[in-house]
Amino acid sequence: MDSEALRKFSALHPKPAGLTLQYGTAGFRSKAEQLDHIVFRMGLLAALRSKAAAATIGIMVTASHNPEEDNGVKLVDPLGEMLHPSWEEYATLLANAEEQELQKVITEICQKATVNLHKDASVFIGRDTRPSSEKLSQSVIDGIQVLGGQYHDYGLVTTPQLHYMVCCQNTQGQYGKATLEGYYEKLSKAFMELTKQSHCSGESQRHLKIDCANGIGALKLSEMKPYFPLEMLIHIYNDGTKEKLNHLCGADFVKVHQKPPGGLDMKPNERCCSFDGDADRIVYYYKDTAGHFHLIDGDKIATLISIFLKELLAKVKQNFKMAVVQTAYANGNSTRYLQETLKVPVHCVKTGVKHLHHKAQEFDVGVYFEANGHGTVLFSKAAETKIRQLVKEEKDDERREAAKMLENIIDLINQTVGDAVSDMLVIEAILALKGLTVQQWDALYADLPNRLLKVQVADRRVIDTTDAERRALTPPGLQEKIDALVKKYKLSRAFVRPSGTEDVVRIYAEADTQENADALAHEVSLAVFHLAGGKGAPPQP
């Protein structure tokens, strides 16, 4: 390691005094002006990770659904998955090291992770459309080059596109071509193959209005438009030419506020969807003839995809194990519908994409979505191989056709990570194939009314949870109190969990009516305030 170069470049990207940041599920996120030293050091870390794994690593500059003035950075592991947990710790260590300790910390990481600094390093870089992203990705390059790494800068891409590129590169092209054209061609070809069999009911079926959150999704969707079939009419709104990223629009805004985004004119019963700022989440919605807004979130997306996959799996007559993975935030009625009506096993895990992804890998077909619209489908190697073999060799027409559709789904879904573009195409294909309107999809089950609240506390660590965050272990007495409150309402449940990023406790409650869900959430928030060291005034109803 060239100590002189490290010292020189580190001085160009100085760490502000007293700033400490933690690498979480979303990597690092903060105000953009606080991140220069962080992204430089993540360039260093990506080079180290690449040397250790003997593979290409990705690094994405984005803060997803955060306001435009924020930014962030996250690393992508060799198969397009999220950074390994042990390396999350190294990321936090390196980010918070004082300038004079930088070389010592790098040496420590090399020892712990058995990194040979003489090995080659290769890093793929991507960034979103924030004003600060270009300069920050230059700082990433400085970090990679100090440790003698090679890099390929893809410039403006969605987060899932970068995950895809990394996976393509490290599977020697088995997953696809590591270019944007390769991504567009693979997805559009699978989409066209899949929808060939659809007897499209009427022209309006294929109209879709898309709110792109004034982000990268708009640019990439426009580039992809020429690859789509002519009957697929997509209309892009909030394309970033007029308004600020994520301002009053995007999947997060729509999900949290339960209302349509600004900048999109909705007519009754029109199918609409929203991407988030870096296009890794999607939610659908529509307005009925009475003007009521209906949100179709990640739970209902997972349900639609599960119905479709279950039918195809039954037709190919293989003994594939399929399951849906949710978190405690999934609406109770979605869980009931999947288990009782569809007869699909449902597993609940802790909040955070990495927990869902990890659990979904245990099945031949694992469907996972968070309620916020982040999700995908994973196929085991064995299942994928068998499906592709049936397409080639199966003599029975029905079984072969079902296998062909499954093969197209495998090629259409981005198995590395939730991808708004890919998920949108899967949904559009299923709606067309099943001849479903957005209202019919919505009517599969009615969501139980629910309420999300948060309570400020002195220290979020006083709350410890178990059972996939559905029960509180500490502070003493809190879970008993919640149990007693839940008994007062029909079809109700409630849970509390500490935020991953700030000193607040998040509360979720659902019940048979909105009034009861609100009342339960409020009563639980009071219990948290009194038993878990609430700050400021007690919560008001």
Side-chain angles (χ1 to χ4, degrees):
M1 169 167 48
D2 184 341
S3 329
E4 193 40 52
L6 180 65
R7 209 165 36 244
K8 192 180 108 194
F9 275 95
S10 180
L12 293 175
H13 305 286
K15 173 181 176 290
L19 179 72
T20 51
L21 291 172
Q22 179 91 24
Y23 193 102
T25 302
F28 289 108
R29 284 201 196 155
S30 187
K31 291 274 170 274
E33 59 274 11
Q34 295 182 330
L35 286 171
D36 184 58
H37 70 294
I38 298 268
V39 293
F40 165 69
R41 292 168 181 206
M42 288 309 99
L44 297 171
L45 192 78
L48 293 174
R49 178 70 179 135
S50 174
K51 289 170 194 271
T56 296
I57 295 296
I59 190 161
M60 183 73 195
V61 177
T62 180
S64 189
H65 55 273
N66 282 33
E68 188 169 270
E69 43 284 356
D70 290 359
N71 217 322
V73 61
K74 54 184 169 188
L75 273 71
V76 179
D77 253 1
L79 291 178
E81 69 278 60
M82 296 169 79
L83 185 62
H84 191 276
S86 62
W87 281 79
E88 288 186 4
E89 284 176 41
Y90 304 150
T92 301
L93 270 177
L94 194 57
N96 297 319
E98 293 308 327
E99 211 105 342
Q100 60 280 10
E101 294 174 344
L102 207 50
Q103 185 161 353
K104 187 169 125 257
V105 173
I106 290 173
T107 308
E108 264 171 41
I109 293 170
C110 289
Q111 283 164 351
K112 282 185 191 158
T114 56
V115 179
N116 178 352
L117 282 172
H118 301 296
K119 287 263 172 70
D120 291 339
S122 151
V123 182
F124 282 1
I125 308 165
R127 66 174 193 270
D128 72 10
T129 54
R130 292 163 197 272
S132 57
S133 292
E134 189 168 5
K135 187 173 172 298
L136 289 173
S137 61
Q138 281 304 313
S139 305
V140 169
I141 292 170
D142 282 353
I144 297 164
Q145 288 187 313
V146 166
L147 291 180
Q150 302 291 312
Y151 68 89
H152 180 84
D153 184 2
Y154 281 92
L156 293 163
V157 287
T158 69
T159 297
Q161 284 176 335
L162 186 75
H163 284 256
Y164 173 92
M165 304 299 175
V166 172
C167 185
C168 291
Q169 182 68 12
N170 290 315
T171 56
Q172 285 70 51
Q174 267 182 299
Y175 193 65
K177 282 212 301 271
T179 61
L180 278 170
E181 291 69 41
Y183 172 92
Y184 298 144
E185 278 163 8
K186 180 181 171 181
L187 267 64
S188 57
K189 179 170 172 276
F191 179 74
M192 302 231 249
E193 283 292 313
L194 192 57
T195 51
K196 268 210 310 241
Q197 291 102 323
S198 78
H199 312 290
C200 186
S201 38
E203 180 56 278
S204 66
Q205 272 294 293
R206 307 305 279 275
H207 275 279
L208 176 66
K209 289 184 169 180
I210 308 167
D211 152 35
C212 288
N214 291 309
I216 185 70
L219 285 180
K220 298 298 131 180
L221 212 46
S222 307
E223 285 176 12
M224 196 172 179
K225 254 186 167 176
Y227 293 85
F228 290 144
L230 293 171
E231 60 276 14
M232 167 116 183
L233 297 164
I234 60 170
H235 309 278
I236 297 173
Y237 295 83
N238 296 322
D239 63 1
T241 52
K242 300 194 227 5
E243 292 288 337
K244 277 172 77 161
L245 176 69
N246 295 326
H247 181 60
L248 303 180
C249 61
D252 199 59
F253 172 84
V254 173
K255 168 77 179 147
V256 171
H257 296 279
Q258 306 267 329
K259 64 179 188 187
L264 186 151
D265 170 40
M266 280 170 78
K267 296 188 176 61
N269 295 334
E270 276 185 335
R271 203 163 65 252
C272 306
C273 68
S274 284
F275 292 2
D276 72 335
D278 65 341
D280 64 0
R281 292 186 191 181
I282 185 170
V283 294
Y284 271 70
Y285 44 92
Y286 68 97
K287 255 187 189 154
D288 62 26
T289 40
H292 295 301
F293 175 78
H294 295 254
L295 174 72
I296 300 179
D297 64 4
D299 299 336
K300 234 168 218 172
I301 292 172
T303 305
L304 178 73
I305 294 173
S306 300
I307 290 170
F308 186 67
L309 289 175
K310 188 163 190 243
E311 287 171 3
L312 292 177
L313 291 170
K315 284 179 185 165
V316 294
K317 298 185 172 67
Q318 295 295 317
N319 208 358
F320 290 138
K321 269 173 65 186
M322 175 179 161
V324 176
V325 186
Q326 297 183 325
T327 71
Y329 286 111
N331 195 278
N333 277 355
S334 76
T335 314
R336 263 184 213 102
Y337 181 86
L338 286 163
Q339 286 175 325
E340 293 166 20
T341 308
L342 262 194
K343 304 276 187 279
V344 170
V346 178
H347 297 267
C348 184
V349 297
K350 280 165 68 169
T351 305
V353 178
K354 60 183 171 192
H355 303 298
L356 291 131
H357 194 90
H358 191 71
K359 186 71 185 172
Q361 287 172 321
E362 294 177 18
F363 308 98
D364 291 310
V365 183
V367 180
Y368 76 82
F369 270 84
E370 290 189 292
N372 66 25
H374 187 290
T376 185
V377 184
L378 304 183
F379 291 85
S380 70
K381 259 285 151 262
E384 185 175 330
T385 307
K386 185 71 196 163
I387 288 163
R388 293 195 193 275
Q389 185 192 342
L390 287 170
V391 173
K392 290 194 185 80
E393 298 167 11
E394 180 55 56
K395 300 284 181 285
D396 178 86
D397 284 355
E398 191 189 30
R399 283 176 76 174
R400 194 180 57 253
E401 278 310 303
K404 184 89 192 92
M405 288 184 123
L406 283 168
E407 182 178 52
N408 287 319
I409 286 276
I410 290 170
D411 289 334
L412 184 53
I413 201 91
N414 187 340
Q415 292 187 62
T416 64
V417 71
D419 180 338
V421 175
S422 151
D423 290 341
M424 173 192 88
L425 293 172
V426 169
I427 292 161
E428 290 300 307
I430 296 172
L431 293 176
L433 284 162
K434 294 184 75 63
L436 285 175
T437 64
V438 68
Q439 299 85 329
Q440 288 167 317
W441 173 19
D442 187 34
L444 288 172
Y445 62 84
D447 276 325
L448 278 173
N450 57 80
R451 178 64 62 211
L452 280 161
L453 294 176
K454 52 187 185 183
V455 175
Q456 284 213 301
V457 291
D459 180 2
R460 66 180 183 270
R461 289 170 302 191
V462 300
I463 301 244
D464 190 23
T465 64
T466 184
D467 187 23
E469 301 176 316
R470 290 177 288 192
R471 298 189 66 76
L473 291 170
T474 61
L478 178 60
Q479 188 57 52
E480 291 74 8
K481 181 73 180 155
I482 294 171
D483 290 343
L485 291 169
V486 164
K487 284 201 178 96
K488 292 165 54 178
Y489 302 99
K490 282 200 190 109
L491 296 174
S492 66
R493 68 183 181 102
F495 67 89
V496 301
R497 55 179 286 272
S499 158
T501 48
E502 48 187 335
D503 278 320
V504 300
V505 175
R506 300 191 189 281
I507 290 148
Y508 177 87
E510 59 185 34
D512 58 342
T513 67
Q514 190 62 57
E515 200 180 351
N516 286 346
D518 290 348
L520 176 57
H522 174 63
E523 288 168 352
V524 172
S525 73
L526 283 175
V528 168
F529 184 84
H530 292 302
L531 293 169
K535 269 173 70 177
Q540 295 303 307

